[in-house]
Structure formats: C-alpha cells, structure tokens
Amino acid sequence: MSGTGTQQSLASATQNGVTALEMAFTGVQNSRQDVENMKHNLASGYAGSDGGAFQKLLDRWDQQAEIISSNLRDMITTLEETMRAQGIQQNNSNDAIQQAFSRSEAVFNALAGSTAGR
C-alpha cells in the first residue's frame, strides 16, 4: 500500500511541476505578445538612433524569451518522459498535460506567426 501511495504522491508532485512549468511558459508567451504589441505601437513614432537602439533591445529581449520558452518546453517534456518511464502517469493526468501543452503551443505558434517576415 505504501508503495502505491508514494507513487501517487510522486505523480502528483510531478504533475504539479508540469503545471507550474506550463503556467510559466504561458506567462512568457503573454509577455512576448505584450512586448511585440508595444514594439509595433512605438515603431511609427520612435525614429533615429535611439529608436533603432530600442528596437534592438526589444529584439534581443525576444531572443532571450525564446530561449526561456524552449527550455520550459524541454523541461515539460522531460518531466512527462520521466513519469512515463516510472510508470506513474495516470491517463487523466497525461490527457490534461497534453491538452495544456497543446494550448501553450497554440499560443506560441500564434505569436510566431505574428512576427513572421519582420
């Protein structure tokens, strides 16, 4: 019995970790969208060398945010693989993880599409 309780506890803790990472991923994507909106709003009125420097700053920030997003996705994948390898993942949890991750990916893909060609 205690083994099952430990497995359920570990599965729950791992699921909580995945959920926290997905929330962080979504937060980063929301921030990236906010920055992208600000960049477009300021682009027309912010010219000159200071405007160019500001544009470079925002572009650099977005590059760093993409690295963070990629690392978060990798961590989510690793936790999911760990749960599968240990045989502690429950079907309902897996479905919830995949649905949440798919929503996160959809947000990222929408953002990636909004910056294409810029």
Side-chain angles (χ1 to χ4, degrees):
M1 284 267 204
S2 66
T4 301
T6 302
Q7 269 194 334
Q8 288 174 342
S9 177
L10 183 57
S12 177
T14 304
Q15 175 60 48
N16 289 343
V18 169
T19 300
L21 290 169
E22 288 171 339
M23 290 172 59
F25 179 87
T26 299
V28 169
Q29 296 311 312
N30 289 339
S31 294
R32 290 178 78 188
Q33 184 62 54
D34 291 345
V35 169
E36 187 67 24
N37 291 339
M38 180 179 58
K39 185 167 62 172
H40 290 294
N41 290 338
L42 294 176
S44 61
Y46 205 29
S49 62
D50 58 341
F54 185 68
Q55 179 75 26
K56 287 179 184 177
L57 172 68
L58 294 179
D59 290 342
R60 182 69 177 141
W61 183 91
D62 192 54
Q63 291 169 357
Q64 294 299 318
E66 174 54 27
I67 291 168
I68 292 167
S69 295
S70 177
N71 288 339
L72 287 169
R73 283 192 307 269
D74 290 347
M75 291 168 66
I76 291 167
T77 299
T78 298
L79 283 178
E80 290 172 340
E81 289 170 357
T82 298
M83 288 191 325
R84 276 191 291 277
Q86 292 176 345
I88 60 174
Q89 186 174 19
Q90 300 170 357
N91 286 335
N92 291 342
S93 295
N94 188 39
D95 290 344
I97 291 167
Q98 294 303 323
Q99 288 173 5
F101 189 74
S102 293
R103 286 190 302 270
S104 297
E105 283 291 296
V107 169
F108 174 75
N109 289 337
L111 289 173
S114 71
T115 59
R118 290 190 174 90

